[in-house]
Amino acid sequence: MAMRPSTLNSKLLRDIRERWAQLSTIGFVVAAGIAAFVSLQATFQSLEQSRDAYYDVYRFGDVFATLERAPDGVAERLEEIPGVTLVHPRLVAPVRIPLQIDGAAASRQPPIGQVVGLPPDGEPALNGVLLLEGRRVEAGRADEALLLEPFAERTGIAPGDTIPVVMEGRLREIRITGIAAAPEFVYPAPPGQAVVPDDERFAVLWMDRQAVAPAFQMEGAFNDVVLRLSPSAVERQVLAEVDRVLEPYGGRGAMGRDRQRSNYFLEMRLDQLQALSGFVPILFLGVAAFLLNLVLSRLVKLQRGEIAALKALGYRDREIGGYYLKLTLLVVVLGTFVGLGAGAWMGRGLTGFFTSFFRLPLLEYSVPFSVVGPAFLVAAVFGLLGAFATLRGILRLSPAEAMRPEPPERYRPTILERLGVGHLFGPPGRMILRELGRRPVRLLLSSLGIALALGIIVVGRFSADAWDVILDRHYQQAYLEDVSVTLTGPVDARGIREVAALPGVVRAEGVRVTSARIHAGLRWRDVPIYGYREGDQLRRLMDAEGAVLPTPSGGMVLTETLAEILEVGIGDSVQVQFREGRAQTRGVVVTGTVDEMFGLQGHMRILELNHHLGEGPAVNTLILTVDEGSMAPLQARLAQMPVVQEVTEKMAEVRRVDELTAEPQRFLVLILSFFGSVIAVGVVYNNARVALSVRSRDLASLRVLGFTRREISGILLGEQAVQVALAIPAGLVLGRVFTGLLMRTLDPEEYRLPLMVSLETYAFATTVVVAAALVSALLVRRRLDHLDLIGVLKTRE
Amino acid sequence: MSGSNPDTDTSQTSSEHGGKAVLEGRGLTRTYRMGEVDVHALRGVDFSLLEGEFLVLVGASGSGKSTLMNILGGLDRPTEGTVRFRDKDLSRANDRQLTEFRRLHVGFVFQFYNLMPSLTARENVALVTEIARDPLSPAEALDMVGLGHRLDHFPSQLSGGEQQRVAVARAIAKRPEILLCDEPTGALDYRSGVVVLEVIERVNAELGTSTAVITHNAPISEMANRVVLLHDGQVDEIRVNESRTPASDIRW
Ligand SMILES: Nc1ncnc2c1ncn2[C@@H]1O[C@H](COP(=O)(O)OP(=O)(O)OP(=O)(O)O)[C@@H](O)[C@H]1O
Ligand SMILES: [Mg+2]
């Protein structure tokens, strides 16, 4: 029997009209899930493609190594390593740029300079340079340079400008001929272990290698090398070989792309994006499926008679089921369309946000067509999942059975009442409890949905919380200084006294920092080692819980994660291959471990470290506390001192990151709060609407008996309130779990932030969800004013 | 009183009851607007329910019985005319005041019981006693309807007649001045119907509740002090029964 499509279609329209608010709240949940999927995927894909293209065109290397100094001839030996197809030896050297930078205090940090040598034609074989503005440097000129873009942007330095650069203690005027970017500085992280990005104070200068080499005593020699591997090469073996070759030349350990700092950070973000793009949409679509199930099963119940009549008339199950399927798909497809639009827009913002950190020449941003298909498919699958139970119910219903009224619902006292606390609730309270008790699964899923909403909002504030913890632990409790000064080389106690005597300095202490490779058996890591003077107070060794540890008394204290990686414990001995001084390898006993938040480090007594390095008492980093008000003149004085490499003002650093992260954090909080609200509204509104539909007869009867609107609202919405109340603790736990999962995407060798969710975050998430629930409840409550009191008296249920 | 036929004026006192009207409607009309057409459910009805009387309202289907009762019970407002409960004007009452009126003064019994399926018999009654002044206890009320032994059963565990008796218990538990029953036996078989009528009869006699019962069953009118016959939205006839037949003797 062919169905007159117009008949069922007009029924479809009527059903939609009656339930548009419910269907659209579900559609929005679908849209939110798809928007998350599309925006994260689009961002991921456009960043990944841009990166691949950039790396490819500008010949980003596969292996990187730094060393003290090796004659150019050594490069040929590197070429002989099996698997190496190209070797690009070069010069990379730290320089000081005594530049007074104007601007907000937050950005007044002195620059960290680095010279990178260019071949005569200006086109390195590996790790190429993208000229953005101006012209290349002329071959043979020692006074011209290309400048890295973010720094140029921040300082306003343009081609044609001249800047002072101190190379090996000699001041020169360098003319900037062009502004450039490079795949090795996509994330311009200066060398060292900065906790927060230092991108905008990192001044990379590309200069003609041959012309500038004499300034560094590097004629005919190189101290940095980039290698290209064949696709079949085994990276681990090549790294070992490179290290073997460079060992006699002060090799500092070769690394693959995975440990190249810029690539490392980019990779980490891309991994996070990809993980989220799989995980987040599933949560939303799961909620949407549940809501579809909720609404459809109610609809079918209401339309039991109609379904029976259609069946009796000879409509096939397929045709009747198809009707509900159409309704489902309509919601899902419209939701997906909205989600695609919103996702495209959000993805553009997200991509923009990422490219403000990652200097990637972006291929055109677009929503890749490849995500559209999966978006519809995934949404449809979840839609069908939601409709499945309903459709099965329809197929099972025999026409004769459907004609009969449904058997009365069975109720029984709930567990609470059987436990004897029933008397605490009046009859209205018991109505609520029993209604909930009759559908424990729905109660559970609804609460879970709301909990999810809370969890998502908690995650939205995660980075703000994490930053607060870092700020507090690292900058307030562990680093008590105002300024740290990196020196160009070690100085003795006299050097410290000299700085201590500068006007404004209240207290001056010193730390010896050196980089070394720590071996234990076959395992090794390249890490910085810190030496502390006994009695010093400004730098404190602190674990992730915030406990302050005493200065190591002998041997070495390792970051706990480092000890785990090396598989050593207290009392074990490790081999430390120093790179400074006599560059010896020494056995050191592990005397403790510390669970630190960042990086991998070793900590020692300074004299012991000096001894291993074959030097007298010496420090190479100064830690100062400074009189209020004398910061600016002091910084100016420090910048003039030849021994000073780099000055970092702690609070300026903090403010800079605050400024840098405030905007994206606000955006994240806003988006995720909105998403969470969409879920909370979807769950509460639909539950309340279904409850109203199921119970309108009872509620109207109560009104007839003299119950006020407020009282019956209490009964209807009390049910929702219980769901929300159950969801709140669950949601806060879920938020913690999500935050934990998100932290897992961080590399444990770099970050081990304590899982800290602030009270404000919990309060904020709870407030948003409760507000969303209240709004939904009020929308439904308005319908209680239009209950048909007389109508319910005329009909049996 | 103007224009009303003295024969059909239900405000006439009956011999037994001192003539004091608890509920009084004057010139009641009720018009439903159905698109272009007006449906006149009531066309000028004068009606009184007297202190303590048992009144039966009969009439053909669609004659306006339920409409009238809903207006008297404060569920609906007349299009024209006035309703007074003692000295309060219900036709001018707002929603809140009508709710208050129902809550404190009226007991309702309907054809389809309208019990809360999720509450036991006792709790269905308690629902009302908790918001009333000086009510019977739920157990007392259920005792009165002969269900003192079924206190903790849910409606789904009771027969239709038993459910209707719970509804009666719920209606009378607050000791209302007025008991309004719209076809209380409509969904019941003869035997259960009689039991329910007996209960209503007892409540009327023992608590002195002014009672109005709508019915399709002509024999039931023999129970009444007065019988009001509605026809096409107007009062057709008012009969005063000289002698009442107890519910147990009624056959239909
Ligand atoms: N909500 C309404 N909308 C339109 N017309 C209505 C409405 N309620 C009642 N009517 C009309 O008013 C008239 C009286 O209805 P009412 O329900 O009072 O009759 P009744 O005497 O109780 O009949 P029954 O014995 O069948 O219950 C009928 O013609 C009915 O169609
Ligand atoms: Mg009726």
Side-chain angles (χ1 to χ4, degrees), chain A residues 312-598:
Chain A
L313 287 175
Y315 279 97
R316 297 193 195 94
D317 284 344
R318 190 156 47 81
E319 291 161 327
I320 300 171
Y323 168 77
Y324 293 96
L325 213 56
K326 254 196 234 170
L327 199 66
T328 305
L329 288 181
L330 193 81
V331 171
V332 166
V333 168
L334 287 180
T336 305
F337 268 117
V338 172
L340 283 174
W345 174 77
M346 276 165 48
R348 186 178 292 277
L350 202 59
T351 307
F353 164 53
F354 274 103
T355 46
S356 71
F357 284 131
F358 296 113
R359 302 299 176 135
L360 266 180
L362 205 56
L363 303 178
E364 190 155 339
Y365 168 81
S366 65
V367 175
F369 194 70
S370 61
V371 307
V372 175
F376 276 105
L377 193 72
V378 171
V381 165
F382 275 91
L384 293 184
L385 210 65
F388 176 73
T390 309
L391 296 178
R392 205 183 45 181
I394 291 171
L395 300 189
R396 282 204 182 152
L397 201 63
S398 80
E401 192 192 331
M403 287 292 193
R404 280 197 299 276
E406 267 195 277
E409 306 275 17
R410 304 223 162 256
Y411 290 86
R412 53 200 191 106
T414 55
I415 297 173
L416 281 182
E417 295 165 79
R418 276 176 271 150
L419 287 176
V421 288
H423 63 275
L424 296 178
F425 307 94
R430 290 180 209 182
M431 286 177 73
I432 294 173
L433 285 183
R434 288 176 196 164
E435 205 59 50
L436 290 170
R438 218 161 49 85
R439 303 180 191 281
V441 175
R442 180 185 292 179
L443 171 64
L444 200 78
L445 290 177
S446 299
S447 290
L448 203 63
I450 301 167
L452 201 63
L454 261 155
I456 286 170
I457 300 173
V458 167
V459 165
R461 287 194 33 126
F462 152 72
S463 60
D465 278 354
W467 173 236
D468 284 346
V469 171
I470 293 170
L471 198 66
D472 180 57
R473 291 281 165 76
H474 194 78
Y475 285 101
Q476 302 296 346
Q477 296 181 32
Y479 283 22
L480 303 180
E481 79 254 20
D482 295 320
V483 171
S484 72
V485 182
T486 308
L487 306 176
T488 51
V491 301
D492 57 15
R494 237 190 29 221
I496 303 180
R497 280 199 301 274
E498 200 178 309
V499 171
L502 290 177
V505 175
V506 176
R507 187 183 176 90
E509 296 180 356
V511 180
R512 180 70 169 106
V513 189
T514 189
S515 75
R517 176 169 293 188
I518 303 184
H519 296 266
L522 291 174
R523 295 169 294 276
W524 54 266
R525 280 292 183 280
D526 290 319
V527 301
I529 296 175
Y530 293 87
Y532 301 93
R533 299 197 309 171
E534 253 153 297
D536 274 3
Q537 297 161 8
L538 297 180
R539 280 284 170 94
R540 306 201 286 180
L541 195 49
M542 200 173 64
D543 70 14
E545 296 303 317
V548 176
L549 279 76
T551 323
S553 51
M556 183 148 39
V557 173
L558 297 181
T559 310
E560 204 165 277
T561 316
L562 179 58
E564 280 161 20
I565 293 167
L566 298 175
E567 296 179 22
V568 295
I570 294 171
D572 291 344
S573 188
V574 291
Q575 295 298 308
V576 183
Q577 188 182 346
F578 291 99
R579 310 196 189 285
E580 268 188 274
R582 275 179 269 151
Q584 286 172 322
T585 298
R586 314 282 297 242
V588 178
V589 177
V590 177
T591 50
T593 60
V594 52
D595 173 22
E596 291 172 290
M597 283 197 289
F598 305 101

Side-chain angles (χ1 to χ4, degrees), chain A residues 231-295:
Chain A
S232 59
V234 181
E235 191 187 275
R236 200 163 39 83
Q237 287 171 4
V238 175
L239 291 179
E241 277 301 300
V242 170
D243 282 349
R244 202 181 50 74
V245 172
L246 296 181
E247 163 93 72
Y249 307 100
R252 304 220 171 104
M255 61 193 167
R257 280 186 179 182
D258 58 339
R259 291 274 149 211
Q260 199 270 343
R261 272 185 90 71
S262 159
N263 185 67
Y264 167 83
F265 281 111
L266 180 57
E267 202 68 19
M268 185 165 74
R269 290 298 171 192
L270 287 176
D271 285 351
Q272 279 178 351
L273 277 175
Q274 200 177 18
L276 288 178
S277 76
F279 177 61
V280 174
I282 299 292
L283 296 181
F284 281 88
L285 293 174
V287 171
F290 163 64
L291 294 180
L292 271 173
N293 172 281
L294 185 73
V295 171

Side-chain angles (χ1 to χ4, degrees), chain A residues 430 434 701 703-704 711, chain B residues 95 102-103 114 118 123:
Chain A
R430 290 180 209 182
R434 288 176 196 164
S701 299
R703 287 280 287 133
V704 168
E711 284 163 340
Chain B
D95 218 73
R102 295 199 299 273
R103 189 178 179 115
N114 295 67
S118 58
E123 290 162 349

Side-chain angles (χ1 to χ4, degrees), chain B residues 152-208:
Chain B
D152 293 321
H153 287 91
F154 285 94
S156 60
Q157 299 166 317
L158 298 172
S159 74
E162 287 160 349
Q163 289 186 51
Q164 190 61 298
R165 278 146 70 194
V166 174
V168 175
R170 182 179 65 181
I172 55 129
K174 66 172 107 162
R175 300 185 211 263
E177 278 111 308
I178 303 157
L179 178 61
L180 301 176
C181 313
D182 193 344
E183 302 195 35
T185 62
L188 302 178
D189 66 10
Y190 165 74
R191 282 188 36 163
S192 325
V194 167
V195 175
V196 167
L197 288 174
E198 281 176 339
V199 167
I200 295 174
E201 190 175 49
R202 249 185 84 198
V203 168
N204 173 247
E206 292 180 11
L207 301 180

Side-chain angles (χ1 to χ4, degrees), chain A residues 638-658:
Chain A
L638 286 170
Q640 301 301 318
M641 297 174 72
V643 67
V644 169
Q645 176 74 43
E646 185 187 317
V647 180
T648 302
E649 186 192 338
K650 187 177 78 178
M651 283 323 289
E653 183 115 331
V654 169
R655 280 192 300 272
R656 195 171 56 80
V657 177
D658 262 345

